[in-house]
Amino acid sequence: MATYLEFIQQNEERDGVRFSWNVWPSSRLEATKMVVPLACLLTPLKERLDLPPVQYEPVLCSRLTCKAVLSPLCQVDYRAKLWACNFCFQRNQFPPAYAGISEVNQPAELMPQFSTIEYIVQRGPQTPLIFLYVVDTCLEEEDLQALKESLQMSLSLLPASALVGLITFGRMVQVHELSCEGISKSYVFRGTKDLTAKQIQDMLGLSRPAVPIQQGRPLQTPEQPAISSRFLQPVHKIDMNLTDLLGELQRDPWPVTQGKRPLRSTGVALSIAVGLLEGTFPNTGARIMLFTGGPPTQGPGMVVGDELKTPIRSWHDIEKDNARLMKKATKHYETLANRTAANGHCIDIYACALDQTGLLEMKCCANLTGGHMVMGDSFNTSLFKQTFQRVFNKGFNGEFQMAFGASLDVKTSRELKIAGAIGPCISLNAKGPCVSENELGIGGTSQWKICSLDPSTTLAIYFEVVNQHNAPIPQGGRGAVQFVTQYQHSSTQKRIRVTTIARNWADAQSQLQHIEAAFDQEAAAVLMARLGVYRAESEEGPDVLRWLDRQLIRLCQKFGQYNKDDPNSFRLSESFSLYPQFMFHLRRSPFLQVFNNSPDESSYYRHHFVRQDLTQSLIMIQPILYAYSFHGPPEPVLLDSSSILPDRILLMDTFFQIVIYLGETIAQWQKAGYQDMPEYENFKHLLQAPLDDAQEILQTRFPMPRYIHTEHGGSQARFLLSKVNPSQTHNNLYAWGQESGAPILTDDVSLQVFMDHLKKLAVSSAS
Amino acid sequence: MSVNQQAHTGPPYGQPQPGYQGYQQPAYGGQPLPGVPQSQYGAYNGPMPGYQQPVPPQGYFPSLGFPSKGSPVSLNSDTSSLAPNFIGSLRAPPTSGAPPPASGASLPSGHLAYSQFGHGDVQNGIPASAAPMQRPPASQPFLPGSAPTPASQTSTFQQYGPPAAGVQQLSNHVAGMTIGSTTASAPPPAGLGYGPPTSVPPVSGSFSATGSGLYTPYTASQGPPPTSVSQGLPLAQPPFPSQPISTQRLPTQVPGFAPPPSSTGIGPSSYPPTTGAPRPPSMPGPPLPGQTVAGPPTSQPNHVSSPPPPSTMTGPHPGPPMSGLHGPPPPTHPPQPGYQMQQNGSFGQVRGPQPNYGGAYPGTPNYGSQPGPPPPPKRLDPDSIPSPQLNELPPQQKPRHRIDPDAIPSPIQVIEDDRSNRGAEPFVTGVRGQVPPLVTTNFLVKDQGNASPRYIRCTSYNIPCTSDMAKQSQVPLAAVIKPLATLPPEETLPYLVDHGESGPVRCNRCKAYMCPFMQFIEGGRRFQCCFCSCVTEVPPHYFQHLDHTGKRVDFYDRPELSLGSYEFLATVDYCKNNKFPSPPAFVFMIDVSYNAVKSGLVRLICEELKSLLDYLPREGNMEESAIRVGFVTYNKVLHFYNVKSSLAQPQMMVVSDVADMFVPLLDGFLVNVNESRTVIASLLDQIPEMFADTRETETVFAPVIQAGLEALKAAECAGKLFIFHTSLPIAEAPGKLKNRDDKKLINTDKEKTLFQPQTSFYNNLAKDCVAQGCCVDLFLFPNQYLDVATLGVVTYQTGGSIYKYAYFQLETDQDRFLNDLRRDVQKEVGFDAVMRVRTSTGIRATDFFGAFYMSNTTDVEMAGLDCDKTITVEFKHDDKLSEDSGALLQCALLYTSCAGQRRLRIHNLSLNCCTQLADLYRNCETDTLINYLAKYAYRGVLSSPVKTVRDALINQCAQILACYRKNCASPSSAGQLILPECMKLLPVYLNCVLKSDVLQPGPEVTTDDRAYIRQLVTSMDVAETNVFFYPRLLPLTKADVDSDSLPAAIRNSEERLSKGDIYLLENGLNIVVWVGVNVQQGLIQNLFGVSSFSQISNALSTLPVLENTFSKKVRSIVDMLQVQRSRYMKLIIVKQEDKMEMLFKHFLVEDKSLSGGASYVDFLCHMHKEIRQLLS
């Protein structure tokens, strides 16, 4: 098995791909019996330090419906200078530039180690990156000040040639002109009126003067940049101006009377930002960065009225269909998001407020465009400041770790079809022979657009085996999938990354053990979780849980070894052993449970869940718990209440939170001040160790997790207690009163109970 | 004409009077000749001279009035060709006549005389006798001349006979004129007004001389007797018409006659210049010849003796001639005398002076003729006489056509008389129903219980007790109210009364405010309302004991008990939303489209505002103005500016969403000038720079107002928007307009659409503005049509002002614009005003004219009301009034002062009531009447074809005068035109209104001009309408450089001009300086700084500053005039015989206008005809 693990890991490192099954069942029927669909997690821009891009264009299959890229899997006739497409079997002539190839003189794309390769193509005009700040001014003075500083700081992080723009909003929406001297100038819009892109462009004076239509396409007039330049300027030209402008930014001056929320025109502000870019820089890399400190309270996209006595919608309201503004607002933002995505721009949402800010309604803006979503309590927290700074992180080669306007094209060999994708993308509606009729996630297409992505952005792609049972695959046949990702690099180059993978087919009846052994339970857990989250967006929570449970039971029935109706005989092989546990924690996770979470929080968690890579996703599903004690070096311990011991310091990473928990005794020691006594320096070190480790995580993660330092009995300890498996509660007596852990006051079932039930159901002959 | 001839007068300065006389005289002599050559002028002059003589006469121009008819006659006499134009016709006669006069006093001279008289007749009708006086010699010629028509004449004479009485009055007028002076001494009179009036004065002079004694009596008579007021004009003599007919158009004329009757209905027929026929009938007027003849001779003699006349004038009035005249007229000429006789007879000696009139009268007979159609009135039927007369008449007619312009009532004379009679003593308002001095008179007012005439003037100070009487007289009962009028420094402002929290004391029922007319009863515990008679308890805090006369003991301590005008401090109950108002705000909204920037306007405004902002209006005792200011610029989009004091730089906020206007900022838009001084200065510096390169030519308009309105709403205050706008708002936005200017609509039923707004959008907007107290002042700088009719709607309904500077050019128009702007910004203004006029039971305010909005039928709402805005209110009976209690008016104006104080200004006025129509006619004020009529007519054009409006006006005036004639004047010949003393200027002024650009546009008048004028006039006060319709014409060269007085004005007729003089004409909007071709080089050098006439530049917009007495004097006159008017007048230099002269002639309102307006004489004739038709 070790080999499979290695294989999986190798593949992931090389190609950024994790398949649920690494040996594929060879027929549709068998595949469906596998329960977990054949699917993969793809990290298109996985950082590859060892992969210098090649400076030429890929060679494409000449069949128009195929256009697959030449890959190591293709058969090449060096003498005839022909190659056969491994997807459609079309024989293609090499282009003239390849005249010199031979077995010993192969281009990179034919070498097996380059199953993933990146091309740089010089096509079309290069346009600078664009950052459009959309800033809420209905903030507390401190918050606004902090935000202003962050924004000013960000100017220094932008590439000098990047264009920046500024829109501020409150009761009104102001689009600031950046090129003027002496007098600061802005265009003001009413925050209650939705405007079409055309209107916005007219009002901003962006519509091109009616130039008599010249033959062919309108020239990319040199005037165009001139026109838009009023609102979007290269950083190096106006950073002083903009810094001053930001400095002078005042809180929204309109009075807010007692018992009212400030009027905040987020919907219109976004609409204007989208319209502005739509008109001036379609199909170029651009980020609209929305900073908001509260819910939209007027105009289109309004989430809650300005009466404070009317609280913002809760899950309860939504379930009761009591959130009257939600649908309309959601629709507004969805429309915006789709327009933005169509133009290849993305929207980031930085929402910092103690109460909800309407992320539920606005989530699609970030989800569909690949933008970031950050939620914090205040702009004046390191959570926001650091996170925001990290948006502009640079990679090892000094380039921004962000890419824009990507499109992902997936090609499969004939036995496979594409069922869909789940991730920060939208469908490009590319129908083709390899598109399945059954949809999982965003389906019906073989191409998706990802407006913004970074090296960790990961999509789940689901396939369907369509090979019929009675059409055996020839011995040694392999299924192949090719991922072609075209994107605009942060250096504004256009690049194409091509990943071609192949897996063996196996007959599920005769070679089930191979298939079983090649099961990637981690990937499968994440892929199933994404399906569950995807469903949860549109279905009732309990239905999703039931579906998940059924899938789990069926999987256990299929791959477990047991005697009928004898739960105790139930065994799972090693490659499946962790899977039920993942499912257990997934069931309790905020991705599927809305209890104790606001709608905004749920949206926020789900947003991140469907875009992070496998490792991070697993942490989200099942947080990691480390224990620090005098008994030995730090060790990972079970996420279980039994791990909570008085003489331990626990460090829990849930991805969104880092919790440091001092056990009862440790806490008492700390209170007593032992750490300050030289003779107890080791205690000081013990206290420090988890802090250092936490710091390390905090430094690297995006978004920066909430950092919680608590102790036994502390109110914040709830973050820990809510995550651990409640193996000891007030209900189960067998561990009660023992020194082995801390009881959790909950009615949730523990993993043990869950497993017991699972076994019972799996072995039941009734189902 | 005189001008041409005036060569004589050349040295105007030297001989001021002589000049005049010289003019006239020469005019007479040579007029015809020169006149003829000259196109229209000639014609005018011809008649003019005649007029001059007659001038003195009261004011009947029957014949002339009908120019149409009269003209025909002349036409006949002259030539058909001439016929088309009245003038032509007139001229023709003169021409023909002219030569003769030259030849001698004989017939020809007579003709001339006629022509003159003709006019004179009209006016003098009766006074004809006067004419004779001077013309004794001529009289003989007359006879001959008249001889042919004798029969008719005689008859006419007889008729005249009776009218004589009326005539006298006419003469009286004259006499009156002279009287003042005369009584003192003969010489003075001449010097008085007459001198200037030209020949007239002499006449008067002569009159005085002749019957100095008599005069005095006359004066007396004039005053009291309504009869005297009336002036009898001999009816036109039918015969004349016949004559015309005879000449050429018998057929045509005949038809013409037929129509006349219809025409009688209203001027139209007379006007129908288009149809030759109609006019002819009117022409007949001139026929008077017979009489005129007499006149002419005299006139000629005068002329001849021109030099002497002056002497005579000044001196003992040509006693001899005068006397001679007197003597002779009655006895000597039986026939003509007849006229004269009658006239004289009636007036007795008075007429003596009028002799000229007599001459004029003869003209009247002509009128009779005109009336041809109406002939029925008298025996002189055109038809009857036609053929025979035709032959003979022609010659005579020509002369007769002329009515001596001097014989018809002269506005100048009336003004001068009033000035000298009433200017000296303060006008004390204690007496009920007292007629105040004319608006042209400088006088002080002492408030003793009635509002000063500066606040309220009425058409009549004696109101008929019943509606029947009112209807019968057709005299509109109206008050022209200027609630916030500026007072001269010598008069005290209304006292501010503060009654504390309880507010002003009011009648329980009608809510009238406490005023001097409230009756306290029951020992002062209650008071009875003087308006509705309801008895109200006196609030305890207001109780006071009564003295033995029933007056409260604190009568003199309380302004509201002793004064006609005062103010109350309003309580919170009088405030919007029951909240005391905030201080108002001014928002300056500047068009920064290409045109505005390119012309330098934007820079100019910004520069000016920098200093002007320190002069915002402030409450008397406050150190700085409470008014806040804001700035907006706009083209297709709007730019708001944040000029908060804490900012280092102003911030500009562009609002492009013009479809749904809003104000993008709250704090920092409206600021205190002192606090934000540096930011504002910086802004005003930058605005011109920012838009220096603009290429935007389109503008919006409605959103601009909306923006201002929203800003005021947001700030919860009232205020004023100053909008500087250049073009038709064609950019896509609410209130977008299209160019709909179409001159083809003129004179069609659709003409009214030119005055109506294109869209109702602005009406609704105006309504919103009024609700918020947002007043809009509009400064327009159009280079083409921009639809003032529509753009002005909001301004008009919010009580704002429009200023228009067509083809604005920095060099020439900047002074005018800046002065207007300064005055407009600085002037006293109230906001969010509501005015209500309460009246005694029996009458009721039923109609309102002015710049305001009304949401119900009683409350006049004005977002802003400044010291120049006037509201005219019309009253109608709804019950009877009693003579004892009279009629009371109380105008209450609730407004917010410029410091944000809510106040009530109360004006009270008590009027008499009468059961005799004569009392009504004796207490009228023509200037006010004209103010009302003009406003009424100007509103009428919105809904009716202009022609209908004009006809209605003429008809109403004819009815007024006919009613007088029928009920108040002593019996007289129908051929006489008899005018009430108080209304003797009604015809001339009415004619001015009818000829105004709105009612009769010339080809050069744009649609925008008309709409502009229409709106302007609607809020004018009486003084403004007076000078607007009858401009003031001052002979600059006659100015006394050593005194600071103005030279005596002369009448607005070209024939009063001398080629050798420089004149200044002002009408409240323009100052035109007219330079004659023969002006001495020295004068030109002194005034213009150039060496010759040809070097004078038309382009001057100011007079060069030169160090010499003449230049200084003229400039001081100009400055003085500018100060008097609420708008800075545009100075235009016009050289005689230059293209621009057309413009100047347009203002000579006594002449026939190029656009078809009748001359004074012609119109008077027409009026006379109308009246006669009504009487028959």
Side-chain angles (χ1 to χ4, degrees), chain B residues 458-478 840-844 875-884 886-887 911-924 963 983:
Chain B
C458 294
T459 52
S460 170
Y461 290 81
N462 209 326
I463 298 185
C465 280
T466 66
S467 71
D468 287 347
M469 273 177 76
K471 274 180 198 151
Q472 195 185 358
S473 73
Q474 283 289 319
V475 175
L477 303 175
S840 299
T841 312
I843 53 170
R844 194 161 49 86
F875 302 99
K876 290 254 167 66
H877 285 80
D878 57 1
D879 202 346
K880 281 185 182 169
L881 292 164
S882 88
E883 273 183 296
D884 296 341
L911 304 173
N912 284 330
C913 295
C914 61
T915 52
Q916 296 299 316
L917 280 173
D919 291 332
L920 167 66
Y921 282 98
R922 216 175 349 215
N923 289 287
C924 282
C963 173
M983 291 189 186

Side-chain angles (χ1 to χ4, degrees), chain B residues 64-69 86 259-275 278-279 281-282 947-959 990-991 994 1000 1156-1158 1162-1171 1173-1174:
Chain B
L64 297 180
F66 295 84
S68 60
K69 298 175 181 178
F86 294 89
S262 65
S263 67
T264 57
I266 301 174
S269 66
S270 64
Y271 293 94
T274 55
T275 60
R279 295 178 183 175
S282 65
K947 182 172 175 300
T948 314
V949 171
R950 291 161 45 85
D951 291 353
L953 263 193
I954 293 171
N955 190 34
Q956 184 175 12
C957 288
Q959 291 196 22
L990 180 67
N991 188 32
L994 292 173
Q1000 193 161 30
D1162 290 348
F1163 182 71
L1164 193 59
C1165 293
H1166 178 70
M1167 216 51 214
H1168 187 205
K1169 190 201 74 179
E1170 295 284 335
I1171 294 169
Q1173 279 192 341
L1174 287 172

Side-chain angles (χ1 to χ4, degrees), chain A residues 648-669:
Chain A
R648 271 183 178 175
I649 299 175
L650 294 175
L651 169 65
M652 181 177 74
D653 178 4
T654 71
F655 185 83
F656 299 105
Q657 294 113 9
I658 302 285
V659 182
I660 294 177
Y661 173 90
L662 306 184
E664 192 173 4
T665 315
I666 303 279
Q668 282 165 358
W669 286 344

Side-chain angles (χ1 to χ4, degrees), chain B residues 921-937:
Chain B
Y921 282 98
R922 216 175 349 215
N923 289 287
C924 282
E925 196 184 331
T926 303
D927 291 329
T928 314
L929 203 54
I930 286 297
N931 181 281
Y932 166 83
L933 291 174
K935 290 179 180 178
Y936 181 78

Side-chain angles (χ1 to χ4, degrees), chain B residues 797-926:
Chain B
Q797 295 194 21
T798 58
S801 312
I802 303 182
Y803 299 85
K804 183 161 153 291
Y805 309 91
Y807 307 105
F808 179 82
Q809 287 195 322
L810 209 56
E811 310 79 50
T812 54
D813 298 319
Q814 100 172 42
D815 279 349
R816 184 160 60 105
F817 162 58
L818 291 182
N819 277 294
D820 280 343
L821 176 59
R822 286 175 197 142
R823 213 173 314 192
D824 195 54
V825 168
Q826 297 176 23
K827 69 184 169 188
E828 192 192 335
V829 56
F831 295 95
D832 212 356
V834 182
M835 188 184 93
R836 179 150 188 179
V837 180
R838 293 182 173 81
T839 54
S840 299
T841 312
I843 53 170
R844 194 161 49 86
T846 54
D847 207 352
F848 301 85
F849 303 84
F852 54 72
Y853 170 78
M854 292 187 76
S855 57
N856 56 35
T857 55
T858 53
D859 294 340
V860 176
E861 295 176 44
M862 289 154 290
L865 174 67
D866 64 47
C867 57
D868 296 323
K869 290 286 174 307
T870 309
I871 298 108
T872 296
V873 184
E874 188 186 4
F875 302 99
K876 290 254 167 66
H877 285 80
D878 57 1
D879 202 346
K880 281 185 182 169
L881 292 164
S882 88
E883 273 183 296
D884 296 341
S885 50
L888 302 177
L889 308 181
Q890 183 177 72
C891 160
L893 177 80
L894 175 62
Y895 70 102
T896 304
S897 76
C898 59
Q901 203 174 47
R902 199 74 175 151
R903 295 177 179 176
L904 280 155
R905 179 171 285 205
I906 314 290
H907 297 297
N908 300 293
L909 183 63
S910 60
L911 304 173
N912 284 330
C913 295
C914 61
T915 52
Q916 296 299 316
L917 280 173
D919 291 332
L920 167 66
Y921 282 98
R922 216 175 349 215
N923 289 287
C924 282
E925 196 184 331
T926 303

